[in-house]
Amino acid sequence: MIDLQKGIVGIPTAHPAGEIIGRAAQLARAFRERSLPVVLINVTGRAPGRTDAGTATFSFPADWTELVAELDRHPDDYPVSKQRWGAFIGTSLHDYLRQRGVTQIFLTGIASSSGVESTARSAYDYGYNVVLVVDAMTDRDADAHRHSVEKIFPRLGQTDTTDNVLKVLHR
């Protein structure tokens, strides 16, 4: 599952967004070559609840919800538009994966401490085997990213790198 949309490209991140996008695109191509499902996730809104942090005070660009072109969306890719941090809540993602007999998911994305982590938590709760491709994700906050990768992700699944995943797929 890949969570990368145009709106993130101009936002400062702990790791260069271009490198993250490139690795996620490599993974998407490799999964498509093997006729494995590719889920592309974008954010179209937010949960209605109140928080201490408040709501965003900046305007989102017009193309905020569009996926980055590098992902080269294919007709067989499954799009998920989420309005929560995680991709499972309020979407048909779980039904889609179950109907295809999917038992393992690979996660990438730009918001490792929120979107990726929330999706991983739900996937784990649903019983999926979760692989978090840590060099194909980043966050706006380097400390939050590091905390997710080092403390949270090992409790929700397996962590790995793009190169290792690609090696397994090319066997």
Side-chain angles (χ1 to χ4, degrees):
M1 287 183 242
I2 301 169
D3 185 356
L4 295 169
Q5 59 193 56
K6 282 186 180 181
I8 55 87
V9 175
I11 296 173
T13 55
H15 305 287
E19 292 176 16
I20 303 307
I21 291 167
R23 290 184 190 110
Q26 279 183 294
L27 290 165
R29 281 191 300 275
F31 273 70
R32 289 181 193 118
E33 288 169 4
R34 282 144 198 84
S35 298
L36 296 169
V38 173
V39 176
L40 301 175
I41 303 164
N42 70 334
V43 181
T44 59
R46 65 176 202 83
R50 293 186 303 252
T51 67
D52 284 342
T55 58
T57 57
F58 60 90
S59 297
F60 293 104
D63 62 354
W64 171 258
T65 62
E66 294 178 32
L67 294 166
V68 293
E70 292 86 344
L71 293 177
D72 191 28
R73 183 176 173 185
H74 285 218
D76 291 338
D77 293 347
Y78 187 71
V80 172
S81 292
K82 65 180 185 168
Q83 295 188 347
R84 305 295 186 265
W85 279 7
F88 283 95
I89 304 301
T91 73
S92 59
L93 178 57
H94 179 57
D95 293 334
Y96 169 81
L97 296 173
R98 284 186 56 164
Q99 289 170 1
R100 280 148 192 79
V102 172
T103 59
Q104 183 171 31
I105 64 168
F106 294 75
L107 293 174
T108 70
I110 285 292
S112 49
S113 70
S114 56
V116 175
E117 185 175 315
S118 294
T119 300
R121 287 175 185 270
S122 291
Y124 177 81
D125 286 343
Y126 276 125
Y128 293 98
N129 296 307
V130 180
V131 177
L132 298 122
V133 188
V134 296
D135 68 341
M137 62 177 70
T138 191
D139 201 284
R140 292 179 61 191
D141 183 310
D143 290 333
H145 172 76
R146 188 172 26 265
H147 179 75
S148 292
V149 169
E150 294 175 4
K151 304 291 184 185
I152 305 299
F153 293 167
R155 299 174 76 188
L156 298 174
Q158 298 171 297
T159 58
D160 215 330
T161 64
T162 301
D163 285 344
N164 286 339
V165 172
L166 292 173
K167 285 176 190 172
V168 170
L169 288 172
H170 287 113
R171 286 185 189 164

